[in-house]
Amino acid sequence: MLKYQELVNTLLDELANGVYKKGDRLPTTPELCERYGVSNTTVKRAMDELELQGIVARRRGSGVYIKETTIAKGITTRQGSTSQQMSGMTAEYEGTPQVLTSEVHDFSVVHPTAEIADKLGMDSDGFAYHICRARLVDGTPKVIEYTYMPISLIPNLRESTLRASIYRYIEDELGLKIGSAHRTIKAVMPTDDERSWLRINEGEPLLEIRQVAYLADGTPFEYSVSRHTSDYEFYSISTR
């Protein structure tokens, strides 16, 4: 792991543990360099990453501050594991009073289309899981996820895992390291099924995020399309 990424994870862990709170000003660059034994360049890159994630805000002539919205979004990290952007919704809501649940609408094995197979680096006559699930916060649907994963790479996936955290299963049970993702975003109109699953009105748009996710060694393990309700906030197109 690169030095600036280690510093990002350290600061996120300290934030989750209450060392820094919303509205706090972070130490100056020289103070961070001395405290964590890193260079000015490492601190700058770490601050750039935290700003990109929407976690801090720079104020000219004043310093770097923890944003008001950070704690409310429930940031938690696991040292040496996925970055905050790649830890998924389960990690996002840990440590908050809000309860995240899942409704599985489809869990099947398919031959992916040639386009999806190409993104996953597999043959189109190979087998992949197809997962369609809704994620709910305090019983309110927030997103519909359509996910493809190669069975050969992610074996023995069960429906009970889909109702919890797939990423946790990949890292903790399979021992694989999740690395990065490339994402594209656009506004779309929902299908009839999506309006029903998300309990939204006709004509209400969704925010669509298409993602190819990679293991730390660069192997693609997931192609997904997530369609979020209009109140969703997203900070970065790509972590790659």
Side-chain angles (χ1 to χ4, degrees):
M1 182 181 296
L2 298 176
K3 280 289 187 182
Y4 85 92
Q5 293 172 323
E6 292 179 359
L7 179 57
V8 167
N9 284 346
T10 297
L11 291 172
L12 287 174
D13 281 339
E14 291 181 347
L15 178 60
N17 291 326
V19 175
Y20 301 112
K21 299 179 176 61
K22 60 182 180 181
D24 283 355
R25 183 175 67 84
L26 288 177
T28 64
T29 295
E31 289 170 341
L32 289 171
C33 290
E34 181 178 357
R35 179 177 301 182
Y36 299 108
V38 296
S39 67
N40 287 349
T41 301
T42 296
V43 171
K44 181 182 184 304
R45 290 196 66 186
M47 293 303 106
D48 288 344
E49 177 66 18
L50 291 172
E51 186 175 35
L52 183 66
Q53 293 185 25
I55 294 164
V56 302
R58 288 183 169 100
R59 298 179 188 172
R60 185 179 297 275
S62 180
V64 180
Y65 290 81
I66 305 298
K67 290 183 67 172
E68 286 282 328
T69 56
T70 301
I71 299 299
K73 294 182 76 64
I75 289 174
T76 59
T77 62
R78 292 178 292 155
Q79 188 68 25
S81 184
T82 56
S83 71
Q84 196 253 339
Q85 287 182 317
M86 286 300 296
S87 57
M89 288 187 71
T90 299
E92 182 179 348
Y93 285 94
E94 281 183 342
T96 76
Q98 296 172 299
V99 178
L100 178 68
T101 55
S102 300
E103 292 179 351
V104 179
H105 295 291
D106 182 60
F107 180 38
S108 55
V109 175
V110 300
H111 293 299
T113 66
E115 179 184 3
I116 294 174
D118 181 65
K119 293 180 184 298
L120 290 172
M122 59 181 291
D123 295 330
S124 57
D125 60 354
F127 292 100
Y129 300 110
H130 175 252
I131 303 157
C132 175
R133 62 177 180 170
R135 313 302 297 278
L136 299 83
V137 178
D138 291 338
T140 300
K142 292 294 185 180
V143 58
I144 296 292
E145 300 173 344
Y146 306 92
T147 303
Y148 294 85
M149 292 182 174
I151 291 179
S152 60
L153 190 60
I154 313 295
N156 303 319
L157 197 59
R158 290 177 166 81
E159 187 167 333
S160 59
T161 304
L162 310 186
R163 300 185 186 280
S165 172
I166 300 175
Y167 282 12
R168 290 280 174 85
Y169 170 75
I170 290 172
E171 289 205 319
D172 297 345
E173 299 297 326
L174 299 182
L176 300 173
K177 173 68 175 174
I178 295 173
S180 59
H182 177 74
R183 300 174 178 131
T184 57
I185 306 173
K186 67 177 181 179
V188 297
M189 297 305 297
T191 66
D192 290 340
D193 281 341
E194 289 166 348
R195 279 199 299 271
S196 174
W197 293 334
L198 293 171
R199 306 172 200 166
I200 58 176
N201 297 322
E202 186 171 358
E204 183 174 339
L206 302 177
L207 183 67
E208 180 186 271
I209 300 174
R210 292 180 178 263
Q211 169 175 291
V212 180
Y214 302 85
L215 298 177
D217 64 3
T219 303
F221 74 91
E222 175 194 67
Y223 173 75
S224 65
V225 178
S226 301
R227 292 187 157 192
H228 299 257
T229 53
S230 57
D231 59 349
Y232 180 68
E233 293 180 338
F234 190 66
Y235 297 115
S236 175
I237 295 177
S238 175
T239 63
R240 188 165 175 78

